[in-house]
Amino acid sequence: MRGGGLLVAGTTSDAGKSVVTAGICRWLVRRGVKVAPFKAQNMSLNSFVTREGAEIGRAQAMQAQAARVEPTALMNPVLLKPGSDRSSQVVLMGKPVGEMSARGYHGGRQEALLGTVTDCLEELRSTYDAVICEGAGSPAEINLRRTDIVNMGIARAARFPVLVVGDIDRGGVFASFFGTTALLSAEDQSLVAGYLVNKFRGDVSLLEPGLDMLYGLTGRRTYGVLPYAHGLGIDEEDGLRVSLRGAVRESVVAPPHGEDVLRVAVCAVPLMSNFTDVDALAAEPGVVVRFVDRAEELADADLVIVPGTRGTVKALAWLRERGLAEALVRRAAEGRPVLGICGGFQVLGERIEDEVESRAGVVEGLGVLPVRVRFERAKTLARPVGSALGEVVEGYEIHHGVADVRGGEPFLDGCRVGAAWGTHWHGSLESDAFRRRFLVEVARAAGRRFVPAPDTSFGVLREEQLDRLGDLVEEHADADALWRLIEGGAPAGLPFVPPGAPALGAGGPESRGAAPDPAPQSPEGLEIAGSAGSRGQGLENPGSAASRSEGLEVSRPETQGEAPGPQGPDGADVHVDEEAL
């Protein structure tokens, strides 16, 4: 029996799709529904490693936690990790298959993956009562509709109803709801069931006349108005924007347990990845976490963190250009705490040999730690468990660089010299006992009378945050109507809102005003249920989506042949495994 489902789309990026999806998952599982999250294609530098060693978007791992299930590659079959403005590493079924330009990906590669993502979705539907899908960006990006596999493409393939989320805190939410609907074809519009307002401040009764007018214009109801909620601190999909320079990471509002606060400065390096590593620090009472990009902002910091990055050599050059490299070296020499995580660990080493990520060859590091790093084509994806400072530590690894540690004291997989630490392990600070011991060491080296709270549990705090998301859905949305959507699909007879998508040849993917699909189809009209034709080149392998990942040989470019490299300035395609795609 196939489970029901819903696609949570958005009027824009950052409209709240990730948190709404997580909230719906938590609400459903508390009702006794066996539910799973799904995002066909994610673009993010914040990723996670599943227990089977697959890399997926961290937002989907968070949503799986909300659903109280173990995350798997099925929940995010395609992950794009940007390496520049024009190219990304393509991760397919949890394994990297190479680098590709945006033009090459949207020029045909993406559509070829439709069969893979629909098979993953069908496998989840055969196991769970409901699957809550998250879209990407906006479904009204008509320039990309022809090859879409994450918004209306997957909704039409699965015949899932679509709930469009709008962020009213940004303004223009009514125009966004109407415009999003009016730019979709009749076929796509037939699945758009209605809207959900996110981040509302004030008296809902003042909003109701606008919601009534929206219903009159579109024939679609609003399924809820979620209030603005402070301090959620839920994993984000994308890196911090430049406009957030100096932003303070959301944290609990609590006074320090000791006499002093502890100030943590995180270098906002280019292509910053897994900056969620610092969330556990921000959850500690009395710890203030800031993102910085100027050397002078390190002066009053008790701890400086150089975080992970998708571009280690680029980050190193950026640190040098801004004077941050010199400040880091000086701090370490003075015995003031510095922590490097993954790419940040590599930056603090003596030398980097990179013929894979940047192809820059040998580059001198900052020399803070006695480590030499060599980038290899094979990507390390692991969930290690170890010990440090006398405490058990769990983490996860996502890196191409292999560290040759040549001295210092052992620290997880890296080392420590004085008050400078380095490790490839993401997530280590989520281990409560270890985090407390580490902060005691930092406070001592910084000369601060800071004392970590003895009872802070990051896991408990995360569960409380997820429950708050479930509460928002349960208390401020029409829960019964949402369940009817998930079980029964979009209401019949939803009106067409003109003008609809432009016709083929006029910049749009489909003809205007055509009749709804008689059966699930891809954007090109190819049948998808059991049809090899819709899967594109190299996707004809039989079996489940999970088992077919072996047939795709997705690890091939990481273990043999040419190393994947970045896309050139002319926008040309770069290395990718043709068999995998």
Side-chain angles (χ1 to χ4, degrees):
M1 180 178 177
R2 298 164 74 212
L6 177 72
L7 174 71
V8 178
T11 56
T12 61
S13 295
D14 297 326
K17 298 182 293 292
S18 295
V19 294
V20 168
T21 299
I24 293 175
C25 285
R26 178 50 59 100
W27 160 64
L28 286 174
V29 76
R30 293 194 310 205
R31 287 182 55 145
V33 177
K34 189 179 180 183
V35 58
F38 178 79
K39 185 161 186 173
Q41 171 201 294
N42 199 346
M43 177 173 280
S44 178
L45 287 170
N46 282 335
S47 58
F48 183 75
V49 179
T50 66
R51 294 205 179 277
E52 68 268 27
E55 185 179 8
I56 65 172
R58 191 166 174 94
Q60 279 60 68
M62 176 269 292
Q63 291 160 359
Q65 185 178 351
R68 295 176 180 154
V69 296
E70 190 67 33
T72 72
L74 291 172
M75 297 171 184
N76 180 207
V78 181
L79 173 64
L80 305 178
K81 303 191 71 175
S84 73
D85 289 342
R86 293 187 176 184
S87 70
S88 295
Q89 183 180 67
V90 181
V91 179
L92 178 62
M93 293 303 295
K95 304 295 180 183
V97 296
E99 299 273 337
M100 179 169 282
S101 69
R103 181 183 301 173
Y105 185 69
H106 291 288
R109 308 291 187 194
Q110 182 183 36
E111 189 181 8
L113 295 172
L114 180 62
T116 296
V117 300
T118 54
D119 283 353
C120 289
L121 179 55
E122 287 303 303
E123 193 161 337
L124 291 173
R125 292 182 72 182
S126 69
T127 306
Y128 293 90
D129 302 327
V131 180
I132 308 303
C133 305
E134 179 189 344
S138 164
E141 291 167 350
I142 55 178
N143 56 314
L144 303 177
R145 177 60 183 90
R146 183 190 296 273
T147 57
D148 169 47
I149 64 172
V150 65
N151 289 308
M152 301 312 300
I154 197 69
R156 280 177 58 179
R159 307 307 295 171
F160 273 1
V162 178
L163 182 70
V164 181
V165 177
D167 180 356
I168 197 170
D169 196 52
R170 295 182 171 189
V173 73
F174 293 113
S176 298
F177 282 145
F178 180 84
T180 296
T181 308
L183 279 176
L184 300 178
S185 68
E187 295 90 335
D188 286 350
Q189 286 191 28
S190 69
L191 294 175
V192 176
Y195 314 109
L196 185 75
V197 177
N198 191 31
K199 296 185 180 180
F200 179 72
R201 307 171 192 251
D203 186 347
V204 176
S205 65
L206 299 177
L207 194 65
E208 289 172 353
L211 300 179
D212 292 340
M213 291 181 65
L214 183 66
Y215 178 80
L217 290 167
T218 67
R220 289 159 174 84
R221 60 168 297 183
T222 298
Y223 283 80
V225 178
L226 306 186
Y228 194 103
H230 293 276
L232 287 174
I234 294 297
D235 297 349
E236 299 176 63
E237 210 169 72
D238 305 312
L240 296 179
R241 285 165 172 74
V242 175
S243 61
L244 294 183
R245 186 194 64 77
V248 177
R249 191 72 174 148
E250 278 193 289
S251 59
V252 294
V253 180
H257 190 70
E259 296 181 44
D260 284 348
V261 298
L262 207 64
R263 298 173 177 85
V264 179
V266 183
C267 297
V269 297
L271 300 173
M272 182 167 50
S273 62
N274 288 75
F275 60 83
T276 48
D277 282 332
V278 303
D279 283 352
L281 292 180
E284 283 284 351
V287 176
V288 180
V289 178
R290 299 177 69 244
F291 290 87
V292 303
D293 63 0
R294 294 175 181 170
E296 55 268 29
E297 293 176 298
L298 304 187
D300 66 346
D302 302 308
L303 169 66
V304 175
I305 295 178
V306 187
T309 172
R310 172 83 166 85
T312 300
V313 171
K314 184 176 183 178
L316 181 57
W318 180 88
L319 290 168
R320 286 181 166 134
E321 289 167 3
R322 291 175 172 262
L324 286 159
E326 183 180 351
L328 287 167
V329 172
R330 186 168 58 250
R331 280 185 66 93
E334 294 170 352
R336 302 177 66 196
V338 176
L339 171 64
I341 302 175
C342 201
F345 168 42
Q346 297 166 4
V347 161
L348 295 179
E350 299 172 345
R351 190 178 72 182
I352 299 167
E353 184 180 341
D354 182 11
E355 298 292 350
V356 175
E357 189 176 77
S358 68
R359 294 190 176 181
V362 176
V363 178
E364 295 301 312
L366 299 186
V368 171
L369 296 174
V371 176
R372 295 186 179 184
V373 177
R374 183 184 70 260
F375 276 65
E376 294 190 350
R377 290 185 289 271
K379 191 176 195 178
T380 298
L381 297 169
R383 291 277 294 271
V385 177
S387 63
L389 305 180
E391 303 292 347
V392 175
V393 186
E394 295 185 25
Y396 58 100
E397 295 183 68
I398 307 171
H399 54 92
H400 284 282
V402 176
D404 177 14
V405 179
R406 300 188 168 202
E409 300 175 41
F411 178 72
L412 300 176
D413 69 321
C415 66
R416 170 186 181 178
V417 174
W421 295 267
T423 177
H424 275 127
W425 291 20
H426 294 290
S428 62
L429 294 170
E430 295 179 18
S431 298
D432 297 326
F434 164 71
R435 180 180 66 253
R436 286 192 279 270
R437 289 290 297 272
F438 176 72
L439 289 176
V440 167
E441 293 276 334
V442 168
R444 182 184 297 118
R448 291 285 183 185
R449 289 173 294 184
F450 169 85
V451 178
D455 55 355
T456 302
S457 169
F458 184 73
V460 169
L461 289 173
R462 175 51 54 90
E463 279 296 305
E464 290 175 353
Q465 291 168 332
L466 294 173
D467 276 331
R468 287 181 62 195
L469 291 180
D471 293 343
L472 287 176
V473 173
E474 187 171 350
E475 296 170 9
H476 299 280
D478 188 336
D480 290 338
L482 279 179
W483 179 242
R484 287 194 295 271
L485 277 183
I486 293 168
E487 271 198 312
L494 291 169
F496 173 73
V497 180
L504 282 169
E510 302 176 271
S511 59
R512 184 180 300 147
D517 295 338
Q521 293 184 341
S522 75
E524 293 287 17
L526 300 173
E527 294 181 7
I528 62 169
S531 167
S534 67
R535 293 178 180 143
Q537 248 184 329
L539 296 179
E540 294 84 4
N541 299 286
S544 70
S547 65
R548 196 172 62 244
S549 65
E550 295 183 11
L552 289 173
E553 299 186 67
V554 293
S555 62
R556 180 183 297 266
E558 305 298 333
T559 56
Q560 64 184 49
E562 293 186 7
Q567 183 262 335
D570 59 353
D573 290 353
V574 291
H575 175 80
V576 71
D577 183 357
E578 297 290 343
E579 288 191 23
L581 292 180

